[in-house]
Amino acid sequence: MITLTSRAVQKAITLAKKEGKPPVLRVGVKGGGCSGLSYVLDFVDDVRELDTVSELEGLTVICDPKSLEFVKELVLDFETNLLKSGWKFTNPKATKSCSCGESFSL
């Protein structure tokens, strides 16, 4: 499944609380972006029947079967440094990604 670092889990839980949402993070992909596919992160209320579900330190991470084919070995981190802060996607399946790191192709 998808791996989240402790920083990513804590950031997701904090953001969910701030937005008044449950700590249920849907990770997926959609067509678009500079490299063909873009990552999608969203807090949701529902888990669908075919979703893959993982529990990580108080955060539920879900992914639909179609997206899972593209992100099965994804590592999601949250970086904070002097230049920027944001989600960092490390996907060993990606053959190309854009400079922003939010889109990729296989």
Side-chain angles (χ1 to χ4, degrees):
M1 172 74 184
I2 300 160
T3 302
L4 275 77
T5 65
S6 289
R7 279 189 308 232
V9 169
Q10 292 310 311
K11 186 62 174 183
I13 290 171
T14 300
L15 287 172
K17 285 180 185 176
K18 184 177 180 180
E19 294 181 17
K21 304 271 182 144
V24 180
L25 180 66
R26 179 172 292 282
V27 178
V29 298
K30 67 178 183 176
C34 350
S35 294
L37 295 169
S38 294
Y39 297 105
V40 178
L41 301 176
D42 195 18
F43 296 110
V44 297
D45 296 315
D46 62 324
V47 177
R48 299 179 195 134
E49 185 178 334
L50 297 177
D51 284 342
T52 298
V53 180
S54 295
E55 300 289 334
L56 303 166
E57 304 172 37
L59 178 70
T60 302
V61 180
I62 58 177
C63 187
D64 66 272
K66 187 175 180 181
S67 292
L68 190 59
E69 292 300 314
F70 299 104
V71 298
K72 193 182 298 186
E73 299 171 26
L74 177 72
V75 176
L76 181 58
D77 192 8
F78 191 84
E79 284 188 333
T80 303
N81 61 45
L82 292 173
L83 296 174
K84 67 176 186 169
S85 65
W87 299 103
K88 179 181 179 188
F89 301 89
T90 304
N91 188 346
K93 291 184 161 232
T95 57
K96 177 182 169 190
S97 66
C98 66
S99 61
C100 70
E102 294 178 12
S103 70
F104 67 101
S105 61
L106 300 179

